Amino acid sequence: PALAQIRAEVVQEVARQMTDTYIFPDKGAAATARIRSRLKANAYAALDEKAFADSLTADLFAVTRDKHLVVRWSEKGYASASA
């Protein structure tokens, strides 16, 4: 898949996790709206993989102020969070 498609899938999965499982539903919804809006505005398009993960983390923190929310990138990949 193209890089743009992969990033969209990552944003959608993070958004799903925030909506479905975040302890503060209002902040989860606000964080979801923020990252979806930034994706739509192509804010992540020019970033490399690590910068993309860091930017998602910063966007989540901007809304939630939760230092436990971290998006990480690894060249080796990760198992699915929903597995």
Side-chain angles (χ1 to χ4, degrees):
L3 187 55
Q5 180 184 347
I6 292 169
R7 289 182 182 190
E9 290 172 4
V10 169
V11 168
Q12 289 306 100
E13 179 59 20
V14 170
R16 187 187 69 73
Q17 292 285 333
M18 291 299 294
T19 301
D20 292 353
T21 65
Y22 194 60
I23 192 164
F24 302 110
D26 57 329
K27 288 187 177 186
T32 293
R34 180 180 177 100
I35 63 174
R36 285 183 174 156
S37 172
R38 301 240 319 131
L39 177 69
K40 187 175 180 180
N42 292 316
Y44 306 125
L47 304 175
D48 65 27
E49 290 89 346
K50 183 177 181 329
F52 170 58
D54 291 346
S55 187
L56 277 176
T57 298
D59 287 339
L60 294 172
F61 182 78
V63 174
T64 65
R65 296 293 193 229
D66 186 341
K67 293 179 183 179
H68 298 99
L69 292 174
V70 178
V71 179
R72 295 192 177 139
W73 173 83
S74 170
E75 205 169 306
K76 295 178 183 180
Y78 295 98
S80 172
S82 57

